[in-house]
Amino acid sequence: MSATEHEQEAVRETPDLYGAFPRLTPEQLQDLAAHGERRRTTAGEVLYREGEPFREFLAILSGTVEIVQDHGGPEERTVAVHGPGRFLGELALLEGEAAFDTAVVREAGEILAVPVERQRALVGRDPVLGDLILRAYLGRRYLLIGLGAGFRILGSCYSPDTLRLREFAARNRLPHRWVDLEQDKEAEALLRRFAIRPEDTPVVIWKGERVLRNPSNAELARLIGLPAPSPEADRCDVMVVGAGPAGLAAAVYGASDGLSTITVEGVATGGQAGTSSRIENYLGFPSGISGGELIERAVLQAHKFGARLMVPAQVSGLTPQDDEYVVTFTDGTTTRAGAVVLASGVWYRRLEVPGIDRLEGISVYYAATVHEASLCQADPVAVVGGGNSAGQAALFLANHASRVHLLVRGGDLNADMSRYLVDQVERHPKIEVLLRTEVRGVSGEQKLESLITEDTASSERRELPAAALFVFIGARPRTDWLRGVVALDEKGFVLTGADAQAAADATRWDSLGRGPLLLETTLPGVFAAGDVRSGSVKRVASAAGEGAIAIRLVHEHRGNTGNLVRTAGSEGPRPVTGRPVTRS
């Protein structure tokens, strides 16, 4: 190809095959123009750079712009080319992260530039424009993840710290590529290029020049602009522990009610819902919605109302002090909170099978997201579990794997899985359902190659080819740090309402003249919502609802302690009482 032909190819606009590159209407461009400025561009001009924060939302009025990975580096490649009517950026622009690519003008023209803060406000106010931009940005984020764009994690598949960094990146939906020190041919060249000794790994390489040696999750978060913990506030009205559907709902309703709200999460926003490939029975989304998209929407909504989200931030202690609570983090820092909402969710239980430990994070997973699916290619995989999470994972993975074996311990798929999922699973030509089946062993040196399964009815064993294993076998609550702080049930879930009252210290409540409210724990002003709560309904919708209810009860608690601001003549909110929601 001649130089001229190469230049023509470079400026050819990328077709919009998946909705990631839509075009703005003239009316939308006109509305945006009232909030920004028109600016001429020149060929070769860099509009924003990889690794730097976005300062403007840019729409193209004329000319073309190329989106480039590793601009000026040895692995430079084109991600997309945009022409008039299209807009630039991806999810990082809305969430305050650094850019994961570079925008270079290829054909001179004119752009419309809107300051990022104004654009974020517009997205919140204009539902049509906001939905268009958000869907495009989500599509572009998944495109970048699929391309292996962003930073690189260089480390051994046997290193716990490598697995930690990979999990953090995947759970936060951050574009990255893992270079396996044990098998990847690229690893040796990178070690030489950056003068890294194998014992110094894992390392994170950013922008092809910056190297972080075995960074903590917080250090990685700061590198790419995630809102990591900071000492900006020493007190808040509400501290929300956990950023799954319940925690994010509490953040949205707390901040929108005017309460200073801080939400902290140890690993990533989304909880178990964030790892779901598709949620089809969530009210208001008849065609379904991915867990990632639902969570990104909730995060943007929380930011819109002024809630602060801190990721990663791990809470280690909760201490009553002067009608408030001192929340202690694992790094030793503290924050005072007038009320606390516990929404830390649950962990999926590990599969106890000999030899499986060495394969976890390499080819044994406890989530089924785009990241894990991209590692499966066209190989057969297995999913263990009989609930909705397992069914959703099986359907999602069937789009990537050559075969999906769904291993169910029970004898009836309808026992724990929603009917709509059962129908889809049983009809799918790539999914084989194996009832009354359990995993007894795994084989494979560097990665999973096959499973030994047993039919528990006949005791017959068979070897099942599988390049990856996805485990969804129930959950345990994230409440180890709460033992001795609030009352828990026999499984470790937090007691609330009438159940909490039976276990509460009566003298602590006498001065309030009441017992625990609906979602209140054995500590006044400490509430539990979502999966972490004893007796909760394990559904995304109910978790979000409980997060909203918890904020309503925070107001009731503040009213009883004299902190609720009332207008003249107002009697304040009426008490909300009753027993906890029971599991259906």
Side-chain angles (χ1 to χ4, degrees):
M1 182 183 292
S2 68
T4 301
E5 290 173 328
H6 181 78
E7 289 174 2
Q8 291 174 345
E9 182 70 21
V11 298
R12 186 176 299 166
E13 189 176 56
T14 305
D16 184 19
L17 300 178
Y18 306 106
F21 308 130
R23 213 176 298 278
L24 296 170
T25 65
E27 293 77 17
Q28 287 172 328
L29 287 170
Q30 185 175 352
D31 290 342
L32 286 169
H35 302 276
E37 64 175 5
R38 301 168 72 102
R39 187 185 304 157
R40 298 297 302 178
T41 61
T42 57
E45 179 183 355
V46 174
L47 301 178
Y48 60 79
R49 291 184 184 277
E50 181 179 352
E52 297 179 359
F54 286 97
R55 292 183 173 82
E56 296 172 316
F57 171 87
L58 303 173
I60 304 171
L61 301 178
S62 61
T64 59
V65 176
E66 183 180 6
I67 306 303
V68 180
Q69 256 292 298
D70 194 30
H71 178 54
E75 299 180 13
E76 180 173 324
R77 56 178 170 168
T78 299
V79 175
V81 176
H82 299 301
R86 289 191 179 178
F87 52 91
L88 308 182
E90 58 99 39
L91 204 57
L93 183 146
L94 296 178
E95 297 198 346
E97 299 169 1
F100 287 99
D101 46 34
T102 300
V104 183
V105 176
R106 290 306 181 205
E107 289 182 340
E110 190 177 25
I111 58 172
L112 175 62
V114 180
V116 164
E117 291 306 320
R118 292 186 191 175
Q119 177 60 21
R120 289 173 182 160
L122 286 171
V123 166
R125 289 203 304 265
D126 187 333
V128 176
L129 179 64
D131 192 66
L132 177 74
I133 292 173
L134 179 58
R135 283 189 174 275
Y137 279 1
L138 285 166
R140 295 177 193 184
R141 172 56 61 91
Y142 291 135
L143 174 64
L144 289 176
I145 291 173
L147 289 173
F151 54 89
R152 279 179 285 193
I153 299 173
L154 172 60
S156 168
C157 59
Y158 303 114
S159 164
D161 282 317
T162 298
L163 299 181
R164 169 181 58 80
L165 291 169
R166 290 180 60 207
E167 179 190 16
F168 181 77
R171 291 287 304 276
N172 282 285
R173 300 169 287 281
L174 302 176
H176 70 285
R177 184 164 85 249
W178 172 45
V179 181
D180 187 359
L181 195 62
E182 307 295 335
Q183 300 184 51
D184 203 309
K185 296 179 181 179
E186 183 187 357
E188 187 62 35
L190 286 171
L191 289 173
R192 289 196 303 268
R193 178 181 169 190
F194 293 99
I196 301 168
R197 297 177 301 174
E199 56 267 31
D200 291 336
T201 59
V203 298
V204 171
I205 303 172
W206 178 234
K207 296 194 299 180
E209 57 186 38
R210 187 172 177 183
V211 178
L212 270 66
R213 286 171 165 77
N214 195 14
S216 66
N217 288 352
E219 288 171 331
L220 178 54
R222 284 192 287 270
L223 178 71
I224 52 89
L226 278 175
S230 62
E232 294 178 12
D234 58 3
R235 189 197 177 280
C236 61
D237 293 327
V238 184
M239 171 69 72
V240 182
V241 182
L248 289 173
V252 168
Y253 284 93
S256 65
D257 281 358
L259 302 174
S260 58
T261 306
I262 297 177
T263 301
V264 298
E265 172 58 54
V267 178
T269 57
Q272 302 301 332
T275 67
S276 177
S277 55
R278 194 147 202 85
I279 303 169
E280 294 193 58
N281 58 351
Y282 190 68
L283 185 67
F285 294 91
S287 60
I289 184 171
S290 72
E293 181 176 351
L294 179 66
I295 295 306
E296 296 293 0
R297 288 174 177 270
V299 168
L300 294 175
Q301 202 171 13
H303 284 312
K304 166 186 170 181
F305 290 116
R308 284 186 56 210
L309 271 64
M310 301 197 312
V311 181
Q314 191 77 43
V315 177
S316 60
L318 182 65
T319 307
Q321 190 175 100
D322 302 329
D323 292 329
E324 293 188 330
Y325 290 92
V326 175
V327 181
T328 304
F329 298 92
T330 52
D331 64 358
T333 59
T334 61
T335 298
R336 292 178 67 91
V340 176
V341 177
L342 304 174
S344 49
V346 296
W347 297 97
Y348 279 118
R349 294 188 184 278
R350 295 178 66 253
L351 186 63
E352 300 297 336
V353 173
I356 202 172
D357 295 11
R358 59 185 172 81
L359 299 174
E360 289 183 338
I362 302 169
S363 48
V364 175
Y365 308 103
Y366 294 85
T369 67
V370 174
H371 170 70
E372 288 85 13
S374 67
L375 303 175
C376 295
Q377 300 175 350
D379 299 314
V381 302
V383 177
V384 178
N388 282 358
S389 296
Q392 290 164 348
L395 289 166
F396 173 65
L397 292 167
N399 295 323
H400 302 268
S402 61
R403 189 75 171 163
V404 177
H405 305 286
L406 179 58
L407 313 181
V408 182
R409 183 174 59 179
D412 183 6
L413 199 58
N414 291 280
D416 298 300
M417 191 179 295
S418 295
R419 183 68 234 179
Y420 79 94
L421 277 175
V422 173
D423 291 341
Q424 293 181 51
V425 166
E426 291 180 336
R427 289 199 306 262
H428 203 291
K430 284 189 177 182
I431 299 177
E432 177 189 16
V433 179
L434 300 174
L435 300 176
R436 295 177 295 275
T437 301
E438 296 188 28
V439 178
R440 298 302 186 207
V442 296
S443 64
E445 292 300 321
Q446 302 298 327
K447 65 175 186 177
L448 182 68
E449 295 176 2
S450 64
L451 305 172
I452 303 301
T453 64
E454 179 180 320
D455 184 320
T456 55
S458 65
S459 298
E460 179 184 351
R461 293 196 175 193
R462 61 179 284 200
E463 185 173 8
L464 202 66
L469 176 63
F470 296 83
V471 182
F472 304 92
I473 56 171
R476 60 182 178 84
R478 301 183 182 185
T479 55
D480 291 345
W481 67 282
L482 286 170
R483 295 190 181 280
V485 178
V486 296
L488 309 176
D489 67 13
E490 67 279 1
K491 294 182 179 179
F493 292 90
V494 180
L495 294 175
T496 57
D499 292 336
Q501 185 165 8
D505 179 359
T507 60
R508 188 187 296 272
W509 293 86
D510 286 345
S511 62
L512 296 177
R514 65 175 179 85
L517 299 172
L518 180 66
L519 302 182
E520 202 163 18
T521 69
T522 49
L523 289 179
V526 177
F527 302 86
D531 289 356
V532 77
R533 192 178 67 81
S534 178
S536 67
V537 178
K538 304 300 188 280
R539 291 289 186 271
V540 174
S542 61
E546 287 189 10
I549 293 172
I551 295 301
R552 169 65 180 78
L553 299 177
V554 166
H555 284 303
E556 173 64 14
H557 167 71
R558 286 162 60 88
N560 283 340
T561 56
N563 295 327
L564 180 64
V565 177
R566 294 189 174 96
T567 57
S570 171
E571 296 181 357
R574 296 176 62 187
V576 178
T577 58
R579 291 190 59 81
V581 178
T582 56
R583 191 174 305 180
S584 62

